[in-house]
Amino acid sequence: MQNYLEFEKPLAEIEGKAEELRAMGRANDEMDVEKEAKALDKKAEQLLKDLYKDLTPWRKCQVARHPNRPHCKDYIEALFTEYTPLAGDRNFADDHSIMGGLARLDGRPVMVIGHEKGNDTASRIERNFGMARPEGYRKAIRLMDLADRFNVPVVTLVDTPGAYPGKGAEERGQSEAIARTTEKCLQLGVPLVSVIIGEGGSGGAVAFASANRVAMLEHSVYSVISPEGCASILWKDAEKMREAAEALRLTAQDLHKLGVIDRIIAEPLGGAQRGAQATIKVVGECIDDMISKLSSLSRDEVRHARRKKFLNIGAKGLAA
């Protein structure tokens, strides 16, 4: 069942009418409704093109959060073979919002780590809506250490509203865990590539995306804070999230101009939620290409290239 965003309501009406016509045709063989239904399909396709032709930053936020977008688990199941999940931080617990393990991508051994939001009520609660606790970041550090020890490239898939802000998480050192994970990303002697597949929220995303190469899906977002949180702080009004989204420069297009990310991965018309398999396929090709271009570098060259990338941020776009 297709879920529609607020700005897609006119599209929902047209596609709903087309489906109603076809349902009537299935119920009564004497009714020929296909011509009218196809006309509605054509109208819906044109409206979809118009809606997605020039999305505002706030609408991109809505698309990035769409519940039907493929999640980390979908990418792992479709792209990676011989996936062996690794659990726990060897200190406190296993955080189910973070998935990770050894796998192969086109025969190449990799360590894949990512945020998983879940796809129904039960799994979203189990995964804490993709918001990691300190033990999730410490698990990621453990897996990165393992990859570094055995000279295996690391792939991270980022999709989180942000790190979990609960009392228990703060008591167990949430900010320290995020800082340590970011530090570990920067210290790795193996290639680290990251893809933001939905939301890249706050330090929870930076901790996984301090990579040699960062790619973003066309309608994903990446920012230091959510638009609602930004609006609450700056204007004391969460309803000003549209203005905040504009000011944050959180779209893939803005971040590419600013040199924060390296690639934009095109999505099917209507977003990844309308073409999950096609999206997963192009993300896999992008990951493979990014790793291949880094595979010839020595450990010192990998670290130096990563350091240079982050030192150069700010030299493009607004500062130019």
Side-chain angles (χ1 to χ4, degrees):
M1 181 179 176
Q2 180 67 39
N3 289 305
Y4 292 91
L5 299 170
E6 184 183 353
F7 69 89
E8 293 178 322
K9 284 181 180 177
L11 179 66
E13 290 177 11
I14 296 171
E15 291 187 338
K17 286 176 183 176
E19 182 52 38
E20 281 179 25
L21 278 175
R22 290 193 169 97
M24 290 168 62
R26 289 192 294 269
N28 187 346
D29 293 338
E30 295 180 3
M31 291 183 66
D32 185 9
V33 298
E34 196 55 33
K35 184 177 179 181
E36 291 86 348
K38 283 183 177 178
L40 287 171
D41 287 342
K42 190 173 180 181
K43 188 176 179 182
E45 184 179 356
Q46 184 58 50
L47 180 57
L48 188 64
K49 287 178 182 177
D50 293 341
L51 287 172
Y52 278 81
K53 182 169 60 179
D54 190 22
L55 289 176
T56 64
W58 173 242
R59 287 186 174 182
K60 280 188 179 286
C61 287
Q62 292 178 288
V63 176
R65 296 168 177 172
H66 198 291
N68 290 353
R69 282 176 79 86
H71 294 149
C72 177
K73 187 177 180 182
D74 302 314
Y75 285 94
I76 289 175
E77 289 176 352
L79 295 176
F80 299 90
T81 57
E82 299 180 37
Y83 173 64
T84 305
L86 299 171
D89 66 345
R90 299 296 186 268
N91 183 37
F92 182 77
D94 182 33
D95 187 346
H96 296 291
S97 66
I98 301 296
M99 294 183 68
L102 288 162
R104 290 184 184 273
L105 177 66
D106 286 338
R108 187 202 310 271
V110 297
M111 180 70 78
V112 57
I113 308 169
H115 301 92
E116 173 57 41
K117 286 183 171 179
N119 53 17
D120 56 29
T121 302
S123 63
R124 284 171 190 148
I125 292 170
E126 179 191 2
R127 304 284 186 178
N128 202 34
F129 300 88
M131 295 185 291
R133 298 176 172 89
E135 46 272 22
Y137 295 105
R138 289 173 182 139
K139 172 166 73 172
I141 291 170
R142 185 173 74 82
L143 301 192
M144 289 182 198
D145 271 332
L146 192 64
D148 202 28
R149 190 183 314 160
F150 292 102
N151 208 34
V152 174
V154 178
V155 177
T156 61
L157 301 171
V158 178
D159 187 16
T160 179
Y164 184 61
K167 181 173 179 284
E170 296 296 343
E171 288 173 343
R172 294 194 299 278
Q174 182 73 289
S175 57
E176 184 268 349
I178 292 171
R180 294 287 184 190
T181 310
T182 307
E183 179 184 42
K184 178 54 63 179
C185 286
L186 296 172
Q187 289 175 343
L188 288 176
V190 295
L192 169 59
V193 301
S194 180
V195 181
I196 296 164
I197 57 175
E199 286 185 275
S202 190
V206 174
F208 279 26
S210 299
N212 290 87
R213 296 288 184 273
V214 181
M216 283 180 72
L217 281 173
E218 181 183 359
H219 301 312
S220 58
V221 294
Y222 186 25
S223 64
V224 296
I225 191 171
S226 70
E228 297 92 334
C230 177
S232 296
I233 293 169
L234 293 183
W235 293 288
K236 311 299 181 188
D237 182 4
E239 290 304 310
K240 288 191 177 288
M241 65 274 191
R242 292 169 183 80
E243 292 90 334
E246 292 278 352
L248 283 167
R249 300 296 182 100
L250 45 64
T251 67
Q253 294 72 23
D254 279 337
L255 293 169
H256 189 258
K257 286 178 188 174
L258 294 169
V260 175
I261 67 164
D262 305 286
R263 295 190 183 197
I264 299 174
I265 304 171
E267 295 186 30
L269 179 64
Q273 64 273 13
R274 284 182 173 260
Q277 294 308 312
T279 303
I280 290 170
K281 183 175 182 290
V282 294
V283 167
E285 291 169 355
C286 178
I287 292 171
D288 190 47
D289 184 55
M290 289 191 294
I291 294 176
S292 296
K293 288 180 177 176
L294 294 165
S295 60
S296 62
L297 301 180
S298 69
R299 294 177 67 86
D300 285 340
E301 287 172 335
V302 165
R303 290 192 193 95
H304 178 74
R306 194 184 298 126
R307 173 182 169 82
K308 186 177 178 182
K309 169 185 165 59
F310 283 90
L311 289 175
N312 284 342
I313 291 176
K316 291 176 64 177
L318 291 176

